[in-house]
Amino acid sequence: MPYNNASEHRLVADYQTQVAIVGAGPVGLMMANYLGQMGIEVLLIEKLNTLIDYPRAIGIDDEALRTIQAIGLVDSVLPHTTPWHAMRFLTPKGRCFADIQPMTDEFGWSRRNAFIQPQVDAVLFEGLKRFPKVRSLFSRSLM
């Protein structure tokens, strides 16, 4: 139950959970889904008041898609991806130092895929509603 410590002007709360995850980014959301699927009590804590609405990454590989498949959300994520995403890395002077042409899918998914991260994060967050033991707290700081 929250209480106000007047001498420090902070709101402090005491929560009980089996696993606390700090950060509702893609890794935190994935872990909360995975643990929730296993029936583990999870508390997901995020400093911001909502999910970030801009991309911090543009590529997702086949291993990540298999992980998303394992938590039962790949069909909802795929509309936000583009398979066979080639990448070229250039030096500041424009010389290509890496040209990745991932024309293989021997493990079930295209090796490299473009994706729209805010939409995938939203799918992962919505997926948490499937698990009654997973709670999310936004606009929270840890001391």
Side-chain angles (χ1 to χ4, degrees):
M1 173 174 286
Y3 64 91
N4 190 2
N5 183 337
S7 66
E8 295 185 20
H9 303 293
R10 292 186 226 188
L11 185 63
V12 179
D14 182 21
Y15 295 97
Q16 298 291 320
T17 189
Q18 286 179 290
V19 176
I21 298 172
V22 179
V27 174
L29 292 166
M30 177 61 72
M31 289 306 304
N33 272 280
Y34 183 73
L35 294 169
Q37 182 176 278
M38 295 172 54
I40 295 173
E41 185 179 320
V42 176
L43 180 62
L44 177 64
I45 303 166
E46 173 55 51
K47 182 170 118 176
L48 301 175
N49 63 352
T50 187
L51 295 176
I52 294 176
D53 63 354
Y54 58 87
R56 283 95 56 220
I58 60 167
I60 188 168
D61 67 6
D62 55 336
E63 187 66 34
L65 288 175
R66 281 190 296 282
T67 303
I68 293 169
Q69 181 180 26
I71 61 167
L73 295 175
V74 76
D75 290 336
S76 298
V77 164
L78 287 178
H80 308 295
T81 67
T82 304
W84 312 110
H85 184 70
M87 292 183 282
R88 295 186 75 213
F89 296 92
L90 306 176
T91 66
K93 293 185 178 183
R95 184 181 64 78
C96 179
F97 67 89
D99 187 0
I100 302 168
Q101 300 295 326
M103 302 313 248
T104 181
D105 63 359
E106 69 268 25
F107 301 116
W109 302 101
S110 168
R111 176 94 24 106
R112 300 278 182 266
N113 306 273
F115 80 125
I116 305 169
Q117 185 176 355
Q119 281 83 351
V120 172
D121 288 354
V123 168
L124 295 174
F125 183 66
E126 281 295 309
L128 297 178
K129 292 179 181 177
R130 303 173 294 166
F131 311 115
K133 291 185 176 183
V134 175
R135 296 181 296 156
S136 302
L137 298 175
F138 283 76
S139 300
R140 302 294 161 67
S141 294
L142 299 178
M143 295 181 251

